[in-house]
Amino acid sequence: MDMAVLASGYGSNLQAIVNAVQNGGISGRVAVVISDRKGAYALQRARDSGIEALFIDPREHERRDAYDKAILEILHNRRIHLVILAGFMRLLTASFVQEFKSRIMNIHPSLLPAFPGLDGVKQALAYGVKVSGCTVHFVDEGLDTGPIILQEAVPVCDKDTEESLHARIHKVEHRLYPRAIQLFIEGKLHLEGRRCLADEN
Ligand code: GRF
């Protein structure tokens, strides 16, 4: 199954996915990595792994729908089946989401529905929760509101800074995201309303 990863930044989740493809944990192929930031390290990681890396400049497509159309064209040309958001800092338009309905995943650094949107780790720390974590979910038209595929808790320590907590959450993300992707590829995810049931046997 051909997949596209959309990433705006450091790309450690992209790297975990690429590693899982290489070691057989994911039986698909990352065909293209797309970024809205020219200097995103994710693009470099893609190039280093021999994956097509594309920067699509938001300034050349000022309207959101024009930008999303440019990405959709790339995805269709490459017959992409699954779109993976890995630190992609833009909200997709409703028509993009419709075209890839239940075929777009995202990972978020909190236990949704708590602390959606920007700075999920910072929000959790500021609120004072004792347990946070990460969530892999399907993308719908809302902000981090789609059906939850997998979640895992990460304890918050009194000494935690945003950096130290995010680092522990990242470690879990790198395990959780490839697992969710492989469940999808194996056809083991079933949606019942907004519940996503995973047949892990
Ligand atoms: C991750 O924490 C993810 O949950 C959030 O953005 C961060 C991306 O990190 N959506 P990286 O670029 O994959 O290292």
Side-chain angles (χ1 to χ4, degrees):
M1 180 183 294
D2 277 6
M3 309 178 284
V5 176
L6 275 52
S8 301
Y10 185 59
S12 69
N13 279 287
L14 164 69
Q15 192 65 56
I17 292 163
V18 168
N19 293 348
V21 167
Q22 281 165 2
N23 68 29
I26 293 179
S27 50
R29 186 175 85 101
V30 180
V32 62
V33 172
I34 300 172
S35 183
D36 60 333
R37 302 214 180 134
K38 195 172 186 190
Y41 187 51
L43 289 174
Q44 188 57 44
R45 291 182 192 268
R47 287 185 213 106
D48 290 346
S49 298
I51 298 167
E52 184 181 22
L54 300 175
F55 162 57
I56 308 296
D57 192 345
R59 285 170 309 184
E60 285 177 15
H61 309 270
E62 269 177 24
R63 290 175 49 124
R64 275 177 66 216
D65 56 344
Y67 188 82
D68 281 16
K69 260 195 185 158
I71 294 187
L72 279 171
E73 197 180 316
I74 293 166
L75 302 180
H76 288 315
N77 286 341
R78 286 157 186 75
R79 302 194 182 287
I80 297 300
H81 189 71
L82 176 65
V83 178
I84 297 163
L85 308 185
F88 189 60
M89 301 306 286
R90 294 174 65 90
L91 196 59
L92 299 174
T93 53
S95 51
F96 189 118
V97 171
Q98 278 309 315
E99 282 210 39
F100 276 86
K101 197 165 174 52
S102 304
R103 291 190 293 135
I104 311 171
M105 283 187 191
N106 182 40
I107 190 156
H108 184 77
S110 74
L111 292 177
L112 291 171
F115 315 123
L118 283 180
D119 298 325
V121 179
K122 197 173 177 180
Q123 290 185 57
L125 265 185
Y127 195 92
V129 293
K130 302 297 183 195
V131 178
S132 192
C134 52
T135 305
V136 181
H137 64 93
F138 283 118
V139 172
D140 67 6
E141 286 81 359
L143 179 61
D144 300 325
T145 51
I148 291 169
I149 302 168
L150 293 175
Q151 279 186 312
E152 194 168 314
V154 173
V156 179
C157 309
D158 288 351
K159 297 193 303 278
D160 263 329
T161 59
E162 186 183 351
E163 291 67 36
S164 65
L165 179 57
H166 206 159
R168 285 209 310 291
I169 291 175
H170 254 134
K171 273 198 183 156
V172 177
E173 290 186 340
H174 299 161
R175 189 160 38 73
L176 212 62
Y177 215 177
R179 202 171 110 220
I181 292 165
Q182 183 60 12
L183 285 169
F184 178 89
I185 291 173
E186 291 176 358
K188 289 183 171 167
L189 299 178
H190 309 286
L191 282 174
E192 282 183 13
R194 57 163 297 121
R195 291 187 77 200
C196 178
L197 308 180
D199 168 15
E200 292 215 55
N201 300 317

